[in-house]
Amino acid sequence: SVSAAYTGSSGKRLLHTETLFDRNPDFTFLRLTTNRSRSNHRALQFTFERAYRNGFAALVSYTWSNSADNVVHDSDRRIIMMSSNPELDYGPSDFDVEHQLNGFMSFAIPAPVARGLGYTLFRNWQAESIFNARSAKPFNFFNMFPTSIGVAYFRPGDISRNSARGFPLYQTDLALRRRFHFTDEFSLQFQADAFNLFNHANFEDPIGHDLVLGSAFGQSTSLSGRSLSNGFSSFYGPGGARTLRFSLKLIF
């Protein structure tokens, strides 16, 4: 089956918090909360699904989306000074990902021969794969300066919100397993997993909150990690470099 869908959502009169300093001699620090925030999300989704038949099943989905808002959550420890005009803060959402492709495939490997030792060794093998690819997420640039209540983060006026993009993500995981049936109730399963099969480096987005010290600005200092699961089986991908895992499972 092949399906397509267009989804959208719009949020109005959402909470918008502004952080104000030295606006009044009696109050050096103010939080002004209004209903001047808004959000918009649009997505075009395609899905291909093949039910398990003749030893093969597949599920592939692609999403082309756009999410924009001026909703920014701040805290006492990490104050983000917004513009006095909320419309100037309208830009890509923190979680905005324009392109995302996910897929799963399962294939029952047929035995090369129909009888004898070759059939005994090469029957009941199953191969499964999960792949995930997405475009980069946005991130901000901030200047940092100390205040009486901690450290404040201020976005320069000539830089719009979430104006930069980090790194995309690509990863393919592969599993190969064989089940040995002893009785109807007991079986032994051998499985080999390869996480990040092609050893593609997926970097975390650059961090820029050490501008005062000038360290690590615009650089990625770590690799991303994630776990994957679906309706057929589960893979726990540690991320980073290619990782191999071998396991035995007694099923009863």
Side-chain angles (χ1 to χ4, degrees), residues 2-248:
V2 178
S3 60
Y6 180 83
T7 63
S9 64
S10 178
K12 306 295 183 183
R13 295 183 56 79
L14 306 177
L15 290 180
H16 182 272
T17 302
E18 299 175 37
T19 304
L20 308 177
F21 289 95
D22 299 324
R23 298 299 180 94
N24 187 292
D26 298 325
F27 302 97
T28 59
F29 168 77
L30 293 174
R31 284 285 177 82
L32 176 63
T33 301
T34 65
N35 291 96
R36 296 195 292 174
S37 284
R38 60 189 177 93
S39 66
N40 286 284
H41 177 266
R42 302 182 300 274
L44 183 61
Q45 304 169 339
F46 297 95
T47 302
F48 168 80
E49 182 175 5
R50 187 186 191 278
Y52 194 84
R53 184 179 179 185
N54 297 328
F56 178 72
L59 177 63
V60 181
S61 63
Y62 168 73
T63 302
W64 178 26
S65 65
N66 172 264
S67 181
D69 59 44
N70 57 354
V71 182
V72 179
H73 303 284
D74 52 5
S75 65
D76 291 338
R77 293 187 58 190
R78 189 177 177 88
I79 304 164
I80 300 176
M81 295 181 62
M82 307 302 294
S83 305
S84 58
N85 182 2
E87 291 302 314
L88 298 179
D89 298 318
Y90 188 80
S93 302
D94 295 341
F95 53 84
D96 179 49
V97 175
E98 294 183 352
H99 305 279
Q100 182 152 341
L101 177 68
N102 301 282
F104 167 81
M105 290 184 292
S106 177
F107 178 64
I109 303 175
V113 294
R115 61 177 63 86
L117 180 61
Y119 177 74
T120 302
L121 294 176
F122 294 104
R123 66 177 180 174
N124 297 331
W125 284 93
Q126 189 87 11
E128 294 182 346
S129 177
I130 291 178
F131 58 90
N132 179 279
R134 64 160 175 80
S135 57
K137 296 184 295 184
F139 68 92
N140 270 312
F141 291 101
F142 294 112
N143 289 327
M144 184 178 70
F145 61 92
T147 68
S148 59
I149 63 169
V151 177
Y153 296 84
F154 174 75
R155 190 175 66 250
D158 58 343
I159 299 179
S160 59
R161 174 172 168 259
N162 285 338
S163 58
R165 293 277 174 172
F167 297 100
L169 183 144
Y170 308 96
Q171 182 162 323
T172 300
D173 300 331
L174 179 66
L176 181 66
R177 68 171 181 263
R178 163 76 190 273
R179 181 171 294 186
F180 301 89
H181 296 278
F182 301 126
T183 66
D184 293 338
E185 298 179 351
F186 291 90
S187 62
L188 182 68
Q189 178 177 290
F190 165 79
Q191 182 162 327
D193 299 299
F195 304 106
N196 195 3
L197 177 65
F198 300 108
N199 205 28
H200 178 79
N202 293 300
F203 295 98
E204 291 283 2
D205 292 340
I207 56 175
H209 57 266
D210 294 327
L211 299 185
V212 172
L213 302 177
S215 61
F217 174 66
Q219 301 178 13
S220 178
T221 59
S222 61
L223 297 175
S224 62
R226 62 193 178 90
S227 63
L228 299 174
S229 62
N230 56 71
F232 295 90
S233 62
S234 297
F235 298 83
Y236 299 94
R242 177 173 51 232
T243 304
L244 301 179
R245 180 181 68 183
F246 300 94
S247 60
L248 284 174

